[in-house]
Amino acid sequence: MTVPPGSIIGIIGGGQLGRMLGVAAAQLGYKCHIFDPAEHPPAADVAAFATRAAYDDADALRRFAASVDVATYEFENLPVAPLDAIGAKLRPGTRSLAVAQDRAVEKIFIEKCGARVAGWRPVDSLDDVRAAVSQLGLPIVLKTRRFGYDGKGQAWIRSEVDVEAAWSAIRETPAVAEAGVDFTAEFSVIVARWGDGRHAFWDSPENGHRDGILHLSTVPAGAAIRAQVPEARTAALRIAETLGHVGVMTVEFFASPAGPLVNEIAPRVHNSGHWTIEGAATSQFEQHIRAICDLPPGTTDLVSRGAEMENLIGDDIARWPELVAEAGVHLHIYGKGEARPGRKMGHVTRLVR
Ligand code: AMP
C-alpha cells in the first residue's frame, strides 16, 4: 500500500545512514522519526521527531510504531524479537535482519540460495578452530557470529602458532572460521526491491578497504569485476527474493579466480552506495524511501562517466577546509562528535566527467 508524501517514516538507528535517509525522505515530502538510544544521534539533526530509548524497549517501540506510517532500520545489530511490536509497518521485515546478523545463519542461507561463499566452518571452541585449520588450510580468518563490523570481531590465523592468540583475540566467542580468499578485487551489488518483486540495481562499485574499513568505492569497476557482476546480481536478487526483502539491500562480494563469492549481506543502504547521491539519477537513499513507501522505482543510471567515493575516517575529517574548497567535490559531514580512530566522520564524492 502506498505511503504518500506527508506521512511519517520511522527510522530505527540514527547514524549517518539514517541521516542520509532522512534528507532523501524530506525531499519527497516525508517527515522522519528517529529511534536511537544515543543522546545526539546524527540523524536526529535532520528529522522532525526523535525518540531516545533502548533498542530492546518494547514499550517504546510500540509507541514509536503507533506514531509512524511505515518504519525501517539503518542498523543491523538490533534485537529482533522486540521489533515484533512494529508488526507489518516494518519494511524490510525482521527476516532480513535475523539472517544478516549471524554470520553462520547468513552463510547457510546464502548457500541455500545457490550462491557461493568462501570455505567455512562454525567454531565454538579452540578444538573447533584447530579442526577448521586442518580442514580449510591456512590462512583463515575468525569472525564472531554476531556484532562484528568494519573488521571488528575478526582475527587472522596465518600460521599454526596464531591459533590460540586468534581465538583469545575474539574473546572465545562463537564464530565462523573462513578460508582466506585470494581475491582480485572486492565489489558490491546494491539492489532495491519492491514488495511485488520489482527491483533495480546500480552499477556495482569496486571497493577498497583500509584496516578492514571501506576506504574507496569506484564506479565503473574494473573489467575483472564487471565480468562477475551478472552472476553476482543473480545471487543478490535470489537472496532478496528469498528474504521477501523490501527496500535496499547490499551484498558484498570477493571477485575471486573461481568467480564471485559472497562476503556478507547488509539488509540496508550501504557505505559502498554513497556515491549514488550525486553519481546516479536516483540515490540508494531515495530509492529505499520509494520502495518502503511503495512509490515507483527511480532510474539508477550513472549521471556522468563515473564516480569515486572516499570515506573520511577519524582524523581525515580535519581535511574538511581543503575539501570544501575543492572544485566540484561533494562533501558530506555526518555531524558526529569526537573523531575517534576508525570512526566514519564523513565522505566525499568526485564525479568523473
Ligand atoms: P568483513 O567485516 O567481513 O566485511 O571484512 C572486512 C574486510 O576484511 C573485507 O572487506 C576484506 O577486505 C577482508 N576480508 C574479510 N574476510 C576475508 C576473507 N575470507 N578473505 C580475504 N579477505 C577477507
Side-chain angles (χ1 to χ4, degrees):
M1 210 180 50
T2 301
V3 178
S7 304
I8 300 177
I9 299 174
I11 302 176
I12 305 166
Q16 65 270 19
L17 301 178
R19 183 177 172 106
M20 290 182 270
L21 282 169
V23 171
Q27 186 182 330
L28 286 172
Y30 295 97
K31 295 185 193 308
C32 287
H33 183 166
I34 305 299
F35 188 106
D36 191 294
E39 194 175 356
H40 297 296
D45 290 347
V46 302
F49 313 102
T51 291
R52 184 182 184 195
Y55 289 132
D56 61 357
D57 184 338
D59 285 337
L61 282 169
R62 213 166 288 117
R63 285 193 297 274
F64 169 76
S67 78
V68 302
D69 298 292
V70 63
T72 191
Y73 45 83
E74 58 94 79
F75 175 64
E76 66 225 42
N77 288 319
L78 299 171
V80 169
L83 295 176
D84 287 344
I86 301 180
K89 282 185 184 175
L90 188 67
R91 298 180 194 170
T94 53
R95 178 128 193 257
S96 300
L97 264 187
V99 166
Q101 67 185 205
D102 181 316
R103 289 189 191 268
V105 172
E106 180 181 48
K107 286 179 191 301
I108 292 166
F109 181 84
I110 291 164
E111 290 183 312
K112 243 195 237 162
C113 290
R116 294 182 284 169
V117 297
W120 71 284
R121 296 284 182 280
V123 292
D124 295 320
S125 67
L126 191 55
D127 282 346
D128 288 349
V129 179
R130 290 208 171 92
V133 168
S134 73
Q135 289 159 2
L136 300 170
L138 289 172
I140 64 173
V141 55
L142 300 183
K143 299 181 177 179
T144 56
R145 286 177 64 158
R146 293 175 167 274
F147 305 122
Y149 67 99
D150 286 348
K152 293 188 175 75
Q154 297 188 10
W156 280 86
I157 302 177
R158 298 181 195 283
S159 98
E160 304 266 350
V161 297
D162 298 337
V163 168
E164 281 182 36
W167 179 238
S168 81
I170 63 159
R171 297 165 191 231
E172 307 185 0
T173 314
V176 296
E178 201 179 292
V181 178
D182 191 14
F183 54 75
T184 325
E186 293 183 83
F187 67 102
S188 43
V189 171
I190 311 165
V191 59
R193 186 177 178 274
W194 274 249
D196 62 5
R198 280 175 296 172
H199 59 270
F201 294 104
W202 286 264
D203 277 58
S204 273
E206 176 160 356
N207 300 325
H209 293 79
R210 219 171 45 183
D211 303 327
I213 305 176
L214 183 69
H215 176 225
L216 292 176
S217 287
T218 310
V219 287
I225 289 174
R226 291 204 307 275
Q228 299 198 3
V229 164
E231 182 179 336
R233 284 187 172 184
T234 302
L237 189 58
R238 199 168 308 139
I239 290 167
E241 278 171 355
T242 310
L243 290 170
H245 189 87
V246 175
V248 170
M249 187 188 81
T250 308
V251 183
E252 291 183 72
F253 287 88
F254 300 119
S256 84
L261 300 178
V262 177
N263 177 21
E264 60 184 354
I265 302 170
R268 52 167 172 78
V269 287
H270 191 258
N271 196 167
S272 66
H274 290 359
W275 65 270
T276 61
I277 297 175
E278 293 88 10
T282 306
S283 77
Q284 60 166 352
F285 300 102
E286 176 177 341
Q287 197 81 308
H288 184 74
I289 300 297
R290 284 172 173 260
I292 66 171
C293 293
D294 204 22
L295 304 181
T299 55
T300 53
D301 306 331
L302 294 182
V303 299
S304 64
R305 282 171 49 219
E308 181 182 84
M309 187 280 320
E310 177 192 353
N311 266 339
L312 301 175
I313 296 167
D315 285 340
D316 290 345
I317 197 67
R319 287 166 44 211
W320 75 262
E322 72 189 75
L323 291 168
V324 78
E326 184 183 322
V329 82
H330 299 281
L331 173 64
H332 296 252
I333 297 177
Y334 303 151
K336 296 181 176 180
E338 201 193 338
R340 291 191 295 270
R343 194 173 197 201
K344 291 174 178 168
M345 302 301 292
H347 74 265
V348 291
T349 298
R350 298 177 177 90
L351 300 187
V352 182
R353 299 284 178 190

